[in-house]
């Protein structure tokens, strides 16, 4: 079995980590860089990663995550933020900078205007009914999260994705500890716990490839 396949078999939702083992700074940067290098819709990368390794802050977050043990037993707890709709208006600096960096002339305001409007038309008319700019942006977090967890597994580091948290409480904690954080700019997509397992890995339970695949040839 190749190394990537072994990493996919190694990865599981680790519910309890060995608190005596800490991930090195270089390894956590490798994991975060996997998120940074992830693909995103339009290449806008509308995410931001908050890395928590402070025990007291993790304890606050555990209370906001329905007291899940992995929040405090993990080495590093990563909160994946997504940019909210007010980052995506015709004149928003973030949207215009995101577009400009891929243009031959990054100062071509006419080209930036056109590309920005094309994106806004997609958000207005191209998404499934019920979705909006926030929905589109939040979905990008999951792409980054998958790559981060796979990269961690490749390096022998365990992980667990947490979608179960009290949104407003997590936002309040971020506002408390990050003076520049704004709930108007960012929302919380999901959280990832990273560390080293203390229990045996349970067997993977998965549908067979035949059950989940249809080929049209």
């Amino acid at each position: 079995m190749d190394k990537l396949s072994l990493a996919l078999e190694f990865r599981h939702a680790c519910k309890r980590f060995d608190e005596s083992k800490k991930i090195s700074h270089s390894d956590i940067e490798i994991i975060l860089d996997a998120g940074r290098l992830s693909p995103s819709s339009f290449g806008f990368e509308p995410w931001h990663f908050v890395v928590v390794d402070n025990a007291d802050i993790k304890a606050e977050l555990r209370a906001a995550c329905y007291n899940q043990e992995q929040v405090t037993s993990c080495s590093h707890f990563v909160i994946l933020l997504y940019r909210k709709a007010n980052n995506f208006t015709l004149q928003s600096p973030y949207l215009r900078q995101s577009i400009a960096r891929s243009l031959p002339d990054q100062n071509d305001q006419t080209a930036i205007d056109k590309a920005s409007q094309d994106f806004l038309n997609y958000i207005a008319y191209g998404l499934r009914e019920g979705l909006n700019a926030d929905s589109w942006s939040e979905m990008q977090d999951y792409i980054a999260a998958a790559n981060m967890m796979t990269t961690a597994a490749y390096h022998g580091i365990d992980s667990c994705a947490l979608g179960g948290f009290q949104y407003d409480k997590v936002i309040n904690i971020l506002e408390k500890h990050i003076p520049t954080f704004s709930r108007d700019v960012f929302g919380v997509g999901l959280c990832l716990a990273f560390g080293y397992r203390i229990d045996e890995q349970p067997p993977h339970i998965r549908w067979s490839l035949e059950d989940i695949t249809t080929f049209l040839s």
Side-chain angles (χ1 to χ4, degrees):
M1 190 179 291
D2 64 86
K3 290 183 178 180
L4 179 57
S5 296
L6 286 171
L8 294 171
E9 288 291 342
F10 174 89
R11 195 220 62 80
H12 70 290
C14 185
K15 302 298 185 181
R16 194 162 70 102
F17 297 92
D18 186 341
E19 297 183 49
S20 69
K21 296 181 179 179
K22 298 300 177 184
I23 302 170
S24 70
H25 184 72
S26 59
D27 279 345
I28 202 67
E29 284 198 333
I30 289 171
I31 293 168
L32 294 168
D33 212 38
R36 182 184 69 86
L37 293 171
S38 296
S40 61
S41 179
F42 289 85
F44 286 169
E45 308 160 60
W47 45 56
H48 188 87
F49 311 137
V50 177
V51 184
V52 183
D53 61 357
N54 177 283
D56 292 335
I57 301 176
K58 285 195 292 182
E60 291 181 50
L61 287 163
R62 176 170 174 167
C65 295
Y66 300 104
N67 199 37
Q68 296 181 76
E69 182 179 355
Q70 59 267 47
V71 180
T72 49
S73 66
C74 71
S75 171
H76 290 69
F77 191 72
V78 180
I79 303 168
L80 279 71
L81 306 179
Y82 65 88
R83 289 186 177 270
K84 300 181 79 170
N86 57 16
N87 292 271
F88 304 103
T89 65
L90 192 59
Q91 295 304 321
S92 71
Y94 179 79
L95 177 59
R96 298 182 72 83
Q97 290 168 12
S98 296
I99 288 170
R101 62 185 184 167
S102 63
L103 295 177
D105 179 0
Q106 296 188 10
N107 295 310
D108 186 341
Q109 299 303 310
T110 300
I112 295 171
D113 283 342
K114 182 182 183 304
S116 297
Q117 189 59 59
D118 287 344
F119 170 74
L120 294 173
N121 289 342
Y122 164 75
I123 292 297
Y125 306 112
L127 296 177
R128 176 171 57 81
E129 183 178 356
L131 299 184
N132 54 27
D134 282 359
S135 310
W136 165 86
S137 185
E138 183 178 3
M139 286 189 289
Q140 312 313 309
D141 274 355
Y142 288 81
I143 303 172
N147 282 341
M148 291 164 76
M149 289 188 290
T150 300
T151 298
Y154 189 89
H155 289 273
I157 296 168
D158 291 291
S159 63
C160 184
L162 288 88
F165 54 85
Q166 294 170 282
Y167 183 91
D168 285 339
K169 289 186 178 181
V170 174
I171 290 287
N172 289 339
I173 292 168
L174 293 175
E175 288 181 329
K176 174 183 174 182
H177 294 286
I178 307 174
T180 57
F181 176 83
S182 170
R183 68 175 66 214
D184 295 326
V185 177
F186 288 108
V188 179
L190 75 162
C191 304
L192 303 176
F194 293 101
Y196 297 96
R197 69 187 66 175
I198 197 168
D199 299 318
E200 288 289 326
Q201 177 179 342
H204 276 155
I205 300 174
R206 295 290 188 273
W207 297 110
S208 71
L209 192 59
E210 291 76 13
D211 288 328
I212 63 167
T213 307
T214 298
F215 288 96
L216 297 177
S217 301

